[in-house]
Amino acid sequence: WLLSTLPSLMIFDDHDIRDDWNTSAQWRREMEATAWWQGRIVGGLASYWVYQHLGNLSPAERAEDEIWSKVAEHHGEAELDLTATLDAFAARVDQEPDSYRWSYARDIGKSRLVVVDSRAARVLRPEQRSILDAAEMAWLDEQMRGDVDHLLVGTSLPFLLGPGLHRMEAWNEAITSGGWGSRLQPFGEWIRQAADLEHWAAFQEGFRQVAGMAIEVAL
């Protein structure tokens, strides 16, 4: 009842879809080989758009949204069924993350809240892993600039970990990417999935870029 009567700003994480969602390229291959994954990801993203993402958007952003525009254009008493449209949309943005942005920013007085999608926008290629793709990274950099008194950046995953855990995740990424030879890669992937080593520290390229942005703002 409370959430149905108060505005809320949220972002999804892995357990809204499946544990370890988008941990690695191998994880994605394993999921896409199952008979149930396509229905799971399509249903999850479509439901999130309906029940939460619309509330994250400002009125101007909502007016420009490709799905909401179809709702706004509907007139008359006939029922509008967007099931097929939403399913096609969710399937597309899962395969083409740069075709839609789940991240958002809201200015609240002289403060800015930036909420980052750290799941769906990941780059999982072994030779180039990043928790945010290039378009998301450029968008985040733009949002972190400007004349505001307070800048708040939210992400569903902890950005800073204890030094030991941070180094373990970075080490695991290096091993799984072949930094210590191809023979250890399967072992590294097994550890990654078994121990849930998939926070920002496990995507060192993206971590360093965002850390640099934060330091630049602070200075």
Side-chain angles (χ1 to χ4, degrees), residues 194-214:
D196 286 348
L197 303 181
E198 39 91 29
H199 304 91
W200 281 86
F203 293 81
Q204 281 292 300
E205 180 180 343
F207 172 82
R208 287 192 293 267
Q209 285 183 266
V210 176
M213 294 177 195

Side-chain angles (χ1 to χ4, degrees), residues 49 53-54 57 60-70 89 100:
W49 185 92
H53 186 62
L54 279 177
L57 301 176
E61 290 169 330
R62 193 158 48 245
E64 296 177 355
D65 187 271
E66 61 183 274
I67 304 297
W68 179 253
S69 63
K70 297 182 183 299
F89 158 79
Y100 192 81

Side-chain angles (χ1 to χ4, degrees), residues 40-128:
R40 172 76 62 87
I41 189 63
V42 166
L45 291 178
S47 297
Y48 176 77
W49 185 92
V50 171
Y51 292 106
Q52 181 56 48
H53 186 62
L54 279 177
N56 294 337
L57 301 176
S58 69
E61 290 169 330
R62 193 158 48 245
E64 296 177 355
D65 187 271
E66 61 183 274
I67 304 297
W68 179 253
S69 63
K70 297 182 183 299
V71 177
E73 291 167 0
H74 179 69
H75 300 286
E77 298 181 358
E79 181 177 336
L80 177 64
D81 185 353
L82 289 178
T83 302
T85 302
L86 271 170
D87 286 353
F89 158 79
R92 187 198 83 220
V93 299
D94 173 53
Q95 293 297 317
E96 304 171 18
D98 59 355
S99 68
Y100 192 81
R101 175 165 293 118
W102 298 107
S103 301
Y104 57 91
R106 298 289 290 273
D107 287 337
I108 306 169
K110 288 188 174 295
S111 300
R112 176 172 297 160
L113 171 65
V114 184
V115 180
V116 182
D117 161 24
S118 54
R119 282 290 170 183
R122 294 181 173 190
V123 179
L124 300 176
R125 295 187 297 274
E127 69 279 5
Q128 183 194 2

